């Protein structure tokens, strides 16, 4: 436990590996994956690979974390001697998780809690939580962290390439005709988070490798040229070979980054995008 007695809480959509979460003492709240005959906790009793293997015959839905699980996590945080909590949550534009955590944590007795909407998910959300732990290790105070998180959020950009439009179409986010046309033309949308925290298309590229090339080029263009430190992150949804290709395109930028994180896409995002999602992100540090 850090001398400031500040805990960091996030949800399973932050795509922080269990090993890294344990190493950084990050408490992770799982969202729910729901099949007709059983409910699972994201990353606890079901993995993304298990979900991909059931697709497309079985397509689950997703839901908010369980309130009892959140209360148990807060109880555990308090029992370990923490006095304050910084919580970083999945974008409120995609989920009610932020509002749920905010209402429950800010009314929890015995802990002072500050709950932030990441306006992002996956790499963006995870980088925010991890950078808070970095600053805690450097001795940042509670007040400094409250000012820092919104600035880091503004300086964090992530993007993803979809391998198929099928699951966006099944989820009602695009029409069937658009899905068929996009599939026939091998269109690979590149998506990111809009200012309101919802997913938005920022480019459409023909071909898988071209889409990864474009993402790498966009990230390279965001790398500071004045020596300002930055963090890079990459993640994949069941396509480690594609991840290696993307990393090869970003090798120099990864080598010069202050921090580099690598993860696997969570179950919740994987449900809505399908397998073979590949993503990268950058966070400019102060």
């Amino acid at each position: 436990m850090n001398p400031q007695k500040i805990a960091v809480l996030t949800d399973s959509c932050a795509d922080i590996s269990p090993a890294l979460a344990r190493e950084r003492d990050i408490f992770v709240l799982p969202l729910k994956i729901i099949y007709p005959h059983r409910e699972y906790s994201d990353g606890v009793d079901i993995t993304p690979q298990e979900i991909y293997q059931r697709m497309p015959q079985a397509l689950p839905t997703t839901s908010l974390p369980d309130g009892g699980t959140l209360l148990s996590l807060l109880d555990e945080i308090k029992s370990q001697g923490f006095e304050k909590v910084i919580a970083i949550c999945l974008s409120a534009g995609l989920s009610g998780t932020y509002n749920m955590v905010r209402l429950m944590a800010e009314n929890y007795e015995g802990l002072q809690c500050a709950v932030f909407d990441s306006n992002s998910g996956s790499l963006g959300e995870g980088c925010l939580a991890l950078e808070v732990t970095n600053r805690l290790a450097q001795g940042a105070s509670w007040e400094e962290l409250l000012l820092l998180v919104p600035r880091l959020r503004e300086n964090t950009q992530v993007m993803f390439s979809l391998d198929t439009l099928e699951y966006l179409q099944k989820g009602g986010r695009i029409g069937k005709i658009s899905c068929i046309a996009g599939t026939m033309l091998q269109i690979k949308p590149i998506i990111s988070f809009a200012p309101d925290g919802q997913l938005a298309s920022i480019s459409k590229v023909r071909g898988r490798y071209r889409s990864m090339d474009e993402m790498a080029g966009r990230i390279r263009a965001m790398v500071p040229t004045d020596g300002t430190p930055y963090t890079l992150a990459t993640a994949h949804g069941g396509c480690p070979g594609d991840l290696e290709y993307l990393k090869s395109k970003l090798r120099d930028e990864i080598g010069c980054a202050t921090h580099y994180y690598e993860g696997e896409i969570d179950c919740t995002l994987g449900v809505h995008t399908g397998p073979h999602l590949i993503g990268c992100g950058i966070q400019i540090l102060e």
Side-chain angles (χ1 to χ4, degrees):
M1 184 175 65
N2 52 71
Q4 305 93 313
K5 298 183 179 179
I6 300 172
V8 177
L9 171 69
T10 190
D11 56 62
S12 56
C13 294
D15 293 350
I16 299 172
S17 70
L20 187 55
R22 288 192 297 270
E23 177 186 321
R24 300 294 187 90
D25 290 325
I26 295 174
F27 296 84
V28 179
L29 177 66
L31 273 73
K32 292 296 182 180
I33 307 297
I34 303 171
Y35 284 94
H37 304 295
R38 183 173 175 183
E39 183 177 282
Y40 297 87
S41 294
D42 187 351
V44 176
D45 51 7
I46 192 168
T47 67
Q49 285 299 326
E50 290 172 324
I51 290 176
Y52 300 148
Q53 288 168 4
R54 298 184 187 188
M55 290 178 170
Q57 289 79 14
L59 187 62
T61 58
T62 60
S63 183
L64 299 179
D66 179 77
T69 302
L70 174 57
L71 290 176
S72 295
L73 270 179
L74 294 173
D75 289 342
E76 182 181 351
I77 288 170
K78 186 168 69 171
S79 71
Q80 291 188 22
F82 291 100
E83 298 175 354
K84 300 176 181 180
V85 178
I86 296 284
I88 310 290
C89 297
L90 174 63
S91 167
L94 296 178
S95 168
T97 301
Y98 161 71
N99 284 320
M100 172 197 163
V101 173
R102 180 178 57 83
L103 290 171
M104 294 185 67
E106 291 180 354
N107 289 289
Y108 181 88
E109 293 186 6
L111 289 172
Q112 184 176 354
C113 300
V115 184
F116 292 92
D117 178 357
S118 69
N119 280 351
S120 186
S122 187
L123 304 174
E125 183 184 355
C127 282
L128 280 173
L130 289 164
E131 186 57 23
V132 170
T133 68
N134 290 335
R135 301 305 176 98
L136 278 172
Q138 296 167 11
S141 68
W142 175 254
E143 292 75 16
E144 288 171 333
L145 292 174
L146 296 185
L147 294 173
L148 173 71
V149 173
R151 296 201 299 267
L152 283 173
R153 181 174 57 197
E154 295 302 314
N155 290 332
T156 303
Q157 298 289 332
V158 298
M159 61 194 73
F160 304 89
S161 174
L162 294 169
D163 188 44
T164 176
L165 297 171
E166 175 183 358
Y167 298 96
L168 286 183
Q169 189 270 326
K170 288 179 181 294
R173 295 188 180 272
I174 61 172
K176 186 173 182 180
I177 298 300
S178 296
C179 177
I180 293 172
T183 300
M184 291 177 63
L185 295 172
Q186 284 293 297
I187 297 297
K188 308 297 181 183
I190 297 175
I191 59 175
S192 185
F193 288 91
D196 63 0
Q198 296 191 48
L199 290 175
S201 174
I202 59 173
S203 183
K204 295 179 181 179
V205 183
R206 291 188 65 178
R208 178 69 161 175
Y209 289 102
R210 286 185 179 178
S211 71
M212 291 188 284
D213 292 344
E214 171 139 344
M215 285 197 301
R218 286 174 175 264
I219 292 294
R220 281 196 297 269
M222 297 178 195
V223 171
T225 58
D226 60 359
T228 300
Y230 62 92
T231 293
L232 281 186
T234 59
H236 73 98
C239 52
D242 287 345
L243 179 68
E244 291 305 314
Y245 178 84
L246 181 60
K247 285 166 58 180
S248 73
K249 292 293 181 178
L250 290 169
R251 183 170 290 114
D252 291 342
E253 289 72 26
I254 290 173
C256 294
T258 306
H259 308 288
Y260 169 67
Y261 303 118
E262 189 174 303
E264 186 172 4
I265 301 297
D266 56 276
C267 296
T268 302
L269 185 56
V271 165
H272 297 288
T273 62
H276 303 155
L277 189 70
I278 184 91
C280 53
I282 184 169
Q283 182 178 76
I284 309 301
L285 305 173
E286 299 178 350

